[in-house]
mmCIF file with all atom_site columns, all heavy atoms in Angstrom:
data_model
loop_
_atom_site.group_PDB
_atom_site.id
_atom_site.type_symbol
_atom_site.label_atom_id
_atom_site.label_alt_id
_atom_site.label_comp_id
_atom_site.label_asym_id
_atom_site.label_entity_id
_atom_site.label_seq_id
_atom_site.pdbx_PDB_ins_code
_atom_site.Cartn_x
_atom_site.Cartn_y
_atom_site.Cartn_z
_atom_site.occupancy
_atom_site.B_iso_or_equiv
_atom_site.pdbx_formal_charge
_atom_site.auth_seq_id
_atom_site.auth_comp_id
_atom_site.auth_asym_id
_atom_site.auth_atom_id
_atom_site.pdbx_PDB_model_num
ATOM 1   N N   . HIS A 1 111 ? 103.249 60.096 101.749 1.00 85.00 ? 403 HIS A N   1
ATOM 2   C CA  . HIS A 1 111 ? 103.234 61.325 102.595 1.00 85.00 ? 403 HIS A CA  1
ATOM 3   C C   . HIS A 1 111 ? 101.869 61.541 103.362 1.00 85.00 ? 403 HIS A C   1
ATOM 4   O O   . HIS A 1 111 ? 101.706 62.644 103.892 1.00 85.00 ? 403 HIS A O   1
ATOM 5   C CB  . HIS A 1 111 ? 103.530 62.566 101.830 1.00 85.00 ? 403 HIS A CB  1
ATOM 6   C CG  . HIS A 1 111 ? 104.798 62.430 100.943 1.00 85.00 ? 403 HIS A CG  1
ATOM 7   N ND1 . HIS A 1 111 ? 106.059 62.118 101.487 1.00 85.00 ? 403 HIS A ND1 1
ATOM 8   C CD2 . HIS A 1 111 ? 104.945 62.429 99.607  1.00 85.00 ? 403 HIS A CD2 1
ATOM 9   C CE1 . HIS A 1 111 ? 106.914 62.113 100.459 1.00 85.00 ? 403 HIS A CE1 1
ATOM 10  N NE2 . HIS A 1 111 ? 106.256 62.240 99.328  1.00 85.00 ? 403 HIS A NE2 1
ATOM 11  N N   . GLY A 1 112 ? 101.001 60.574 103.342 1.00 86.00 ? 404 GLY A N   1
ATOM 12  C CA  . GLY A 1 112 ? 99.742  60.724 104.029 1.00 86.00 ? 404 GLY A CA  1
ATOM 13  C C   . GLY A 1 112 ? 98.832  61.785 103.389 1.00 86.00 ? 404 GLY A C   1
ATOM 14  O O   . GLY A 1 112 ? 97.906  62.244 103.993 1.00 86.00 ? 404 GLY A O   1
ATOM 15  N N   . VAL A 1 113 ? 99.061  62.072 102.096 1.00 89.00 ? 405 VAL A N   1
ATOM 16  C CA  . VAL A 1 113 ? 98.284  63.046 101.455 1.00 89.00 ? 405 VAL A CA  1
ATOM 17  C C   . VAL A 1 113 ? 97.304  62.441 100.449 1.00 89.00 ? 405 VAL A C   1
ATOM 18  O O   . VAL A 1 113 ? 97.711  61.758 99.477  1.00 89.00 ? 405 VAL A O   1
ATOM 19  C CB  . VAL A 1 113 ? 99.222  64.053 100.719 1.00 89.00 ? 405 VAL A CB  1
ATOM 20  C CG1 . VAL A 1 113 ? 98.445  65.113 99.885  1.00 89.00 ? 405 VAL A CG1 1
ATOM 21  C CG2 . VAL A 1 113 ? 100.184 64.719 101.663 1.00 89.00 ? 405 VAL A CG2 1
ATOM 22  N N   . TRP A 1 114 ? 96.078  62.679 100.658 1.00 92.00 ? 406 TRP A N   1
ATOM 23  C CA  . TRP A 1 114 ? 95.003  62.102 99.848  1.00 92.00 ? 406 TRP A CA  1
ATOM 24  C C   . TRP A 1 114 ? 94.645  63.187 98.700  1.00 92.00 ? 406 TRP A C   1
ATOM 25  O O   . TRP A 1 114 ? 94.406  62.780 97.581  1.00 92.00 ? 406 TRP A O   1
ATOM 26  C CB  . TRP A 1 114 ? 93.789  61.854 100.637 1.00 92.00 ? 406 TRP A CB  1
ATOM 27  C CG  . TRP A 1 114 ? 93.942  60.750 101.633 1.00 92.00 ? 406 TRP A CG  1
ATOM 28  C CD1 . TRP A 1 114 ? 94.479  60.821 102.847 1.00 92.00 ? 406 TRP A CD1 1
ATOM 29  C CD2 . TRP A 1 114 ? 93.671  59.381 101.377 1.00 92.00 ? 406 TRP A CD2 1
ATOM 30  N NE1 . TRP A 1 114 ? 94.441  59.513 103.422 1.00 92.00 ? 406 TRP A NE1 1
ATOM 31  C CE2 . TRP A 1 114 ? 93.936  58.672 102.540 1.00 92.00 ? 406 TRP A CE2 1
ATOM 32  C CE3 . TRP A 1 114 ? 93.116  58.688 100.333 1.00 92.00 ? 406 TRP A CE3 1
ATOM 33  C CZ2 . TRP A 1 114 ? 93.799  57.300 102.674 1.00 92.00 ? 406 TRP A CZ2 1
ATOM 34  C CZ3 . TRP A 1 114 ? 92.954  57.250 100.431 1.00 92.00 ? 406 TRP A CZ3 1
ATOM 35  C CH2 . TRP A 1 114 ? 93.309  56.632 101.623 1.00 92.00 ? 406 TRP A CH2 1
ATOM 36  N N   . ALA A 1 115 ? 94.577  64.401 99.087  1.00 90.00 ? 407 ALA A N   1
ATOM 37  C CA  . ALA A 1 115 ? 94.153  65.450 98.117  1.00 90.00 ? 407 ALA A CA  1
ATOM 38  C C   . ALA A 1 115 ? 95.394  66.402 97.926  1.00 90.00 ? 407 ALA A C   1
ATOM 39  O O   . ALA A 1 115 ? 95.733  67.199 98.718  1.00 90.00 ? 407 ALA A O   1
ATOM 40  C CB  . ALA A 1 115 ? 93.023  66.299 98.662  1.00 90.00 ? 407 ALA A CB  1
ATOM 41  N N   . HIS A 1 116 ? 96.055  66.121 96.766  1.00 86.00 ? 408 HIS A N   1
ATOM 42  C CA  . HIS A 1 116 ? 97.283  66.821 96.531  1.00 86.00 ? 408 HIS A CA  1
ATOM 43  C C   . HIS A 1 116 ? 97.026  68.261 95.888  1.00 86.00 ? 408 HIS A C   1
ATOM 44  O O   . HIS A 1 116 ? 97.843  69.141 96.105  1.00 86.00 ? 408 HIS A O   1
ATOM 45  C CB  . HIS A 1 116 ? 98.102  66.064 95.459  1.00 86.00 ? 408 HIS A CB  1
ATOM 46  C CG  . HIS A 1 116 ? 98.432  64.721 95.893  1.00 86.00 ? 408 HIS A CG  1
ATOM 47  N ND1 . HIS A 1 116 ? 97.602  63.632 95.654  1.00 86.00 ? 408 HIS A ND1 1
ATOM 48  C CD2 . HIS A 1 116 ? 99.452  64.164 96.595  1.00 86.00 ? 408 HIS A CD2 1
ATOM 49  C CE1 . HIS A 1 116 ? 98.099  62.531 96.178  1.00 86.00 ? 408 HIS A CE1 1
ATOM 50  N NE2 . HIS A 1 116 ? 99.249  62.835 96.839  1.00 86.00 ? 408 HIS A NE2 1
ATOM 51  N N   . ILE A 1 117 ? 95.930  68.387 95.318  1.00 86.00 ? 409 ILE A N   1
ATOM 52  C CA  . ILE A 1 117 ? 95.650  69.699 94.647  1.00 86.00 ? 409 ILE A CA  1
ATOM 53  C C   . ILE A 1 117 ? 94.155  69.956 95.000  1.00 86.00 ? 409 ILE A C   1
ATOM 54  O O   . ILE A 1 117 ? 93.248  69.157 94.658  1.00 86.00 ? 409 ILE A O   1
ATOM 55  C CB  . ILE A 1 117 ? 95.751  69.538 93.052  1.00 86.00 ? 409 ILE A CB  1
ATOM 56  C CG1 . ILE A 1 117 ? 97.029  68.967 92.674  1.00 86.00 ? 409 ILE A CG1 1
ATOM 57  C CG2 . ILE A 1 117 ? 95.529  70.848 92.425  1.00 86.00 ? 409 ILE A CG2 1
ATOM 58  C CD1 . ILE A 1 117 ? 97.042  68.250 91.358  1.00 86.00 ? 409 ILE A CD1 1
ATOM 59  N N   . CYS A 1 118 ? 93.978  71.043 95.633  1.00 88.00 ? 410 CYS A N   1
ATOM 60  C CA  . CYS A 1 118 ? 92.653  71.487 95.969  1.00 88.00 ? 410 CYS A CA  1
ATOM 61  C C   . CYS A 1 118 ? 92.283  72.862 95.374  1.00 88.00 ? 410 CYS A C   1
ATOM 62  O O   . CYS A 1 118 ? 93.136  73.785 95.456  1.00 88.00 ? 410 CYS A O   1
ATOM 63  C CB  . CYS A 1 118 ? 92.388  71.535 97.481  1.00 88.00 ? 410 CYS A CB  1
ATOM 64  S SG  . CYS A 1 118 ? 92.434  69.903 98.217  1.00 88.00 ? 410 CYS A SG  1
ATOM 65  N N   . GLY A 1 119 ? 91.127  73.052 94.838  1.00 86.00 ? 411 GLY A N   1
ATOM 66  C CA  . GLY A 1 119 ? 90.660  74.315 94.381  1.00 86.00 ? 411 GLY A CA  1
ATOM 67  C C   . GLY A 1 119 ? 89.537  74.711 95.313  1.00 86.00 ? 411 GLY A C   1
ATOM 68  O O   . GLY A 1 119 ? 88.519  74.096 95.412  1.00 86.00 ? 411 GLY A O   1
ATOM 69  N N   . ILE A 1 120 ? 89.775  75.785 96.069  1.00 89.00 ? 412 ILE A N   1
ATOM 70  C CA  . ILE A 1 120 ? 88.779  76.284 97.038  1.00 89.00 ? 412 ILE A CA  1
ATOM 71  C C   . ILE A 1 120 ? 88.143  77.552 96.538  1.00 89.00 ? 412 ILE A C   1
ATOM 72  O O   . ILE A 1 120 ? 88.883  78.521 96.319  1.00 89.00 ? 412 ILE A O   1
ATOM 73  C CB  . ILE A 1 120 ? 89.518  76.435 98.381  1.00 89.00 ? 412 ILE A CB  1
ATOM 74  C CG1 . ILE A 1 120 ? 90.105  75.082 98.826  1.00 89.00 ? 412 ILE A CG1 1
ATOM 75  C CG2 . ILE A 1 120 ? 88.510  76.989 99.433  1.00 89.00 ? 412 ILE A CG2 1
ATOM 76  C CD1 . ILE A 1 120 ? 90.946  75.176 100.025 1.00 89.00 ? 412 ILE A CD1 1
ATOM 77  N N   . ASP A 1 121 ? 86.889  77.462 96.277  1.00 87.00 ? 413 ASP A N   1
ATOM 78  C CA  . ASP A 1 121 ? 86.152  78.641 95.801  1.00 87.00 ? 413 ASP A CA  1
ATOM 79  C C   . ASP A 1 121 ? 85.735  79.532 96.927  1.00 87.00 ? 413 ASP A C   1
ATOM 80  O O   . ASP A 1 121 ? 85.084  79.023 97.862  1.00 87.00 ? 413 ASP A O   1
ATOM 81  C CB  . ASP A 1 121 ? 84.872  78.223 94.989  1.00 87.00 ? 413 ASP A CB  1
ATOM 82  C CG  . ASP A 1 121 ? 85.291  77.454 93.736  1.00 87.00 ? 413 ASP A CG  1
ATOM 83  O OD1 . ASP A 1 121 ? 86.380  77.519 93.310  1.00 87.00 ? 413 ASP A OD1 1
ATOM 84  O OD2 . ASP A 1 121 ? 84.347  76.843 93.163  1.00 87.00 ? 413 ASP A OD2 1
ATOM 85  N N   . LEU A 1 122 ? 86.212  80.780 96.889  1.00 89.00 ? 414 LEU A N   1
ATOM 86  C CA  . LEU A 1 122 ? 85.925  81.696 97.896  1.00 89.00 ? 414 LEU A CA  1
ATOM 87  C C   . LEU A 1 122 ? 85.014  82.830 97.427  1.00 89.00 ? 414 LEU A C   1
ATOM 88  O O   . LEU A 1 122 ? 85.057  83.182 96.260  1.00 89.00 ? 414 LEU A O   1
ATOM 89  C CB  . LEU A 1 122 ? 87.260  82.390 98.395  1.00 89.00 ? 414 LEU A CB  1
ATOM 90  C CG  . LEU A 1 122 ? 88.351  81.454 98.992  1.00 89.00 ? 414 LEU A CG  1
ATOM 91  C CD1 . LEU A 1 122 ? 89.546  82.273 99.180  1.00 89.00 ? 414 LEU A CD1 1
ATOM 92  C CD2 . LEU A 1 122 ? 87.854  80.931 100.239 1.00 89.00 ? 414 LEU A CD2 1
ATOM 93  N N   . VAL A 1 123 ? 84.354  83.434 98.397  1.00 90.00 ? 415 VAL A N   1
ATOM 94  C CA  . VAL A 1 123 ? 83.642  84.696 98.133  1.00 90.00 ? 415 VAL A CA  1
ATOM 95  C C   . VAL A 1 123 ? 83.943  85.691 99.224  1.00 90.00 ? 415 VAL A C   1
ATOM 96  O O   . VAL A 1 123 ? 83.979  85.246 100.443 1.00 90.00 ? 415 VAL A O   1
ATOM 97  C CB  . VAL A 1 123 ? 82.053  84.426 98.010  1.00 90.00 ? 415 VAL A CB  1
ATOM 98  C CG1 . VAL A 1 123 ? 81.473  83.887 99.257  1.00 90.00 ? 415 VAL A CG1 1
ATOM 99  C CG2 . VAL A 1 123 ? 81.337  85.658 97.621  1.00 90.00 ? 415 VAL A CG2 1
ATOM 100 N N   . ARG A 1 124 ? 84.188  86.899 98.934  1.00 91.00 ? 416 ARG A N   1
ATOM 101 C CA  . ARG A 1 124 ? 84.490  87.972 99.916  1.00 91.00 ? 416 ARG A CA  1
ATOM 102 C C   . ARG A 1 124 ? 83.095  88.397 100.463 1.00 91.00 ? 416 ARG A C   1
ATOM 103 O O   . ARG A 1 124 ? 82.230  88.763 99.660  1.00 91.00 ? 416 ARG A O   1
ATOM 104 C CB  . ARG A 1 124 ? 85.226  89.141 99.337  1.00 91.00 ? 416 ARG A CB  1
ATOM 105 C CG  . ARG A 1 124 ? 85.715  90.113 100.365 1.00 91.00 ? 416 ARG A CG  1
ATOM 106 C CD  . ARG A 1 124 ? 86.301  91.341 99.708  1.00 91.00 ? 416 ARG A CD  1
ATOM 107 N NE  . ARG A 1 124 ? 87.581  91.090 99.088  1.00 91.00 ? 416 ARG A NE  1
ATOM 108 C CZ  . ARG A 1 124 ? 88.715  91.264 99.756  1.00 91.00 ? 416 ARG A CZ  1
ATOM 109 N NH1 . ARG A 1 124 ? 88.777  91.725 100.929 1.00 91.00 ? 416 ARG A NH1 1
ATOM 110 N NH2 . ARG A 1 124 ? 89.861  90.958 99.043  1.00 91.00 ? 416 ARG A NH2 1
ATOM 111 N N   . THR A 1 125 ? 82.922  88.353 101.789 1.00 93.00 ? 417 THR A N   1
ATOM 112 C CA  . THR A 1 125 ? 81.657  88.820 102.356 1.00 93.00 ? 417 THR A CA  1
ATOM 113 C C   . THR A 1 125 ? 81.811  90.054 103.147 1.00 93.00 ? 417 THR A C   1
ATOM 114 O O   . THR A 1 125 ? 80.791  90.609 103.638 1.00 93.00 ? 417 THR A O   1
ATOM 115 C CB  . THR A 1 125 ? 81.115  87.723 103.301 1.00 93.00 ? 417 THR A CB  1
ATOM 116 O OG1 . THR A 1 125 ? 82.066  87.465 104.331 1.00 93.00 ? 417 THR A OG1 1
ATOM 117 C CG2 . THR A 1 125 ? 80.787  86.472 102.503 1.00 93.00 ? 417 THR A CG2 1
ATOM 118 N N   . GLY A 1 126 ? 82.990  90.613 103.286 1.00 91.00 ? 418 GLY A N   1
ATOM 119 C CA  . GLY A 1 126 ? 83.250  91.834 103.981 1.00 91.00 ? 418 GLY A CA  1
ATOM 120 C C   . GLY A 1 126 ? 84.717  92.269 103.779 1.00 91.00 ? 418 GLY A C   1
ATOM 121 O O   . GLY A 1 126 ? 85.434  91.542 103.147 1.00 91.00 ? 418 GLY A O   1
ATOM 122 N N   . PRO A 1 127 ? 85.113  93.414 104.355 1.00 88.00 ? 419 PRO A N   1
ATOM 123 C CA  . PRO A 1 127 ? 86.437  93.843 104.167 1.00 88.00 ? 419 PRO A CA  1
ATOM 124 C C   . PRO A 1 127 ? 87.483  92.814 104.515 1.00 88.00 ? 419 PRO A C   1
ATOM 125 O O   . PRO A 1 127 ? 88.534  92.697 103.910 1.00 88.00 ? 419 PRO A O   1
ATOM 126 C CB  . PRO A 1 127 ? 86.552  95.025 105.016 1.00 88.00 ? 419 PRO A CB  1
ATOM 127 C CG  . PRO A 1 127 ? 85.124  95.487 105.293 1.00 88.00 ? 419 PRO A CG  1
ATOM 128 C CD  . PRO A 1 127 ? 84.294  94.285 105.172 1.00 88.00 ? 419 PRO A CD  1
ATOM 129 N N   . ASP A 1 128 ? 87.278  92.043 105.616 1.00 87.00 ? 420 ASP A N   1
ATOM 130 C CA  . ASP A 1 128 ? 88.213  91.087 106.022 1.00 87.00 ? 420 ASP A CA  1
ATOM 131 C C   . ASP A 1 128 ? 87.641  89.651 106.192 1.00 87.00 ? 420 ASP A C   1
ATOM 132 O O   . ASP A 1 128 ? 88.222  88.828 106.850 1.00 87.00 ? 420 ASP A O   1
ATOM 133 C CB  . ASP A 1 128 ? 88.802  91.445 107.420 1.00 87.00 ? 420 ASP A CB  1
ATOM 134 C CG  . ASP A 1 128 ? 89.495  92.779 107.355 1.00 87.00 ? 420 ASP A CG  1
ATOM 135 O OD1 . ASP A 1 128 ? 90.366  92.957 106.478 1.00 87.00 ? 420 ASP A OD1 1
ATOM 136 O OD2 . ASP A 1 128 ? 89.357  93.622 108.247 1.00 87.00 ? 420 ASP A OD2 1
ATOM 137 N N   . ASP A 1 129 ? 86.461  89.442 105.547 1.00 91.00 ? 421 ASP A N   1
ATOM 138 C CA  . ASP A 1 129 ? 85.811  88.207 105.756 1.00 91.00 ? 421 ASP A CA  1
ATOM 139 C C   . ASP A 1 129 ? 85.625  87.487 104.388 1.00 91.00 ? 421 ASP A C   1
ATOM 140 O O   . ASP A 1 129 ? 85.301  88.070 103.399 1.00 91.00 ? 421 ASP A O   1
ATOM 141 C CB  . ASP A 1 129 ? 84.396  88.413 106.430 1.00 91.00 ? 421 ASP A CB  1
ATOM 142 C CG  . ASP A 1 129 ? 84.581  89.060 107.755 1.00 91.00 ? 421 ASP A CG  1
ATOM 143 O OD1 . ASP A 1 129 ? 85.418  88.616 108.509 1.00 91.00 ? 421 ASP A OD1 1
ATOM 144 O OD2 . ASP A 1 129 ? 83.745  89.977 108.053 1.00 91.00 ? 421 ASP A OD2 1
ATOM 145 N N   . PHE A 1 130 ? 85.803  86.178 104.470 1.00 92.00 ? 422 PHE A N   1
ATOM 146 C CA  . PHE A 1 130 ? 85.660  85.297 103.270 1.00 92.00 ? 422 PHE A CA  1
ATOM 147 C C   . PHE A 1 130 ? 84.842  84.039 103.676 1.00 92.00 ? 422 PHE A C   1
ATOM 148 O O   . PHE A 1 130 ? 84.931  83.573 104.810 1.00 92.00 ? 422 PHE A O   1
ATOM 149 C CB  . PHE A 1 130 ? 86.953  84.850 102.685 1.00 92.00 ? 422 PHE A CB  1
ATOM 150 C CG  . PHE A 1 130 ? 87.793  85.985 102.215 1.00 92.00 ? 422 PHE A CG  1
ATOM 151 C CD1 . PHE A 1 130 ? 88.734  86.616 103.086 1.00 92.00 ? 422 PHE A CD1 1
ATOM 152 C CD2 . PHE A 1 130 ? 87.767  86.293 100.875 1.00 92.00 ? 422 PHE A CD2 1
ATOM 153 C CE1 . PHE A 1 130 ? 89.448  87.728 102.625 1.00 92.00 ? 422 PHE A CE1 1
ATOM 154 C CE2 . PHE A 1 130 ? 88.508  87.325 100.413 1.00 92.00 ? 422 PHE A CE2 1
ATOM 155 C CZ  . PHE A 1 130 ? 89.418  88.048 101.266 1.00 92.00 ? 422 PHE A CZ  1
ATOM 156 N N   . PHE A 1 131 ? 84.025  83.593 102.806 1.00 93.00 ? 423 PHE A N   1
ATOM 157 C CA  . PHE A 1 131 ? 83.365  82.287 102.944 1.00 93.00 ? 423 PHE A CA  1
ATOM 158 C C   . PHE A 1 131 ? 83.817  81.350 101.875 1.00 93.00 ? 423 PHE A C   1
ATOM 159 O O   . PHE A 1 131 ? 84.040  81.820 100.754 1.00 93.00 ? 423 PHE A O   1
ATOM 160 C CB  . PHE A 1 131 ? 81.829  82.406 102.869 1.00 93.00 ? 423 PHE A CB  1
ATOM 161 C CG  . PHE A 1 131 ? 81.131  83.001 104.063 1.00 93.00 ? 423 PHE A CG  1
ATOM 162 C CD1 . PHE A 1 131 ? 79.814  83.257 104.043 1.00 93.00 ? 423 PHE A CD1 1
ATOM 163 C CD2 . PHE A 1 131 ? 81.850  83.252 105.300 1.00 93.00 ? 423 PHE A CD2 1
ATOM 164 C CE1 . PHE A 1 131 ? 79.162  83.854 105.152 1.00 93.00 ? 423 PHE A CE1 1
ATOM 165 C CE2 . PHE A 1 131 ? 81.229  83.802 106.355 1.00 93.00 ? 423 PHE A CE2 1
ATOM 166 C CZ  . PHE A 1 131 ? 79.881  84.065 106.318 1.00 93.00 ? 423 PHE A CZ  1
ATOM 167 N N   . VAL A 1 132 ? 83.852  80.048 102.233 1.00 92.00 ? 424 VAL A N   1
ATOM 168 C CA  . VAL A 1 132 ? 84.159  79.018 101.240 1.00 92.00 ? 424 VAL A CA  1
ATOM 169 C C   . VAL A 1 132 ? 82.926  78.563 100.570 1.00 92.00 ? 424 VAL A C   1
ATOM 170 O O   . VAL A 1 132 ? 81.945  78.138 101.219 1.00 92.00 ? 424 VAL A O   1
ATOM 171 C CB  . VAL A 1 132 ? 84.891  77.830 101.953 1.00 92.00 ? 424 VAL A CB  1
ATOM 172 C CG1 . VAL A 1 132 ? 85.084  76.697 100.892 1.00 92.00 ? 424 VAL A CG1 1
ATOM 173 C CG2 . VAL A 1 132 ? 86.231  78.346 102.411 1.00 92.00 ? 424 VAL A CG2 1
ATOM 174 N N   . LEU A 1 133 ? 82.800  78.640 99.311  1.00 91.00 ? 425 LEU A N   1
ATOM 175 C CA  . LEU A 1 133 ? 81.657  78.140 98.567  1.00 91.00 ? 425 LEU A CA  1
ATOM 176 C C   . LEU A 1 133 ? 81.666  76.610 98.402  1.00 91.00 ? 425 LEU A C   1
ATOM 177 O O   . LEU A 1 133 ? 80.706  76.003 98.593  1.00 91.00 ? 425 LEU A O   1
ATOM 178 C CB  . LEU A 1 133 ? 81.527  78.756 97.212  1.00 91.00 ? 425 LEU A CB  1
ATOM 179 C CG  . LEU A 1 133 ? 81.275  80.291 97.107  1.00 91.00 ? 425 LEU A CG  1
ATOM 180 C CD1 . LEU A 1 133 ? 81.265  80.809 95.702  1.00 91.00 ? 425 LEU A CD1 1
ATOM 181 C CD2 . LEU A 1 133 ? 79.944  80.574 97.753  1.00 91.00 ? 425 LEU A CD2 1
#
Side-chain angles (χ1 to χ4, degrees):
H403 311 296
V405 177
W406 293 86
H408 303 89
I409 310 155
C410 292
I412 300 171
D413 293 344
L414 299 174
V415 62
R416 185 187 291 266
T417 58
D420 297 316
D421 299 317
F422 296 88
F423 282 176
V424 173
L425 293 177

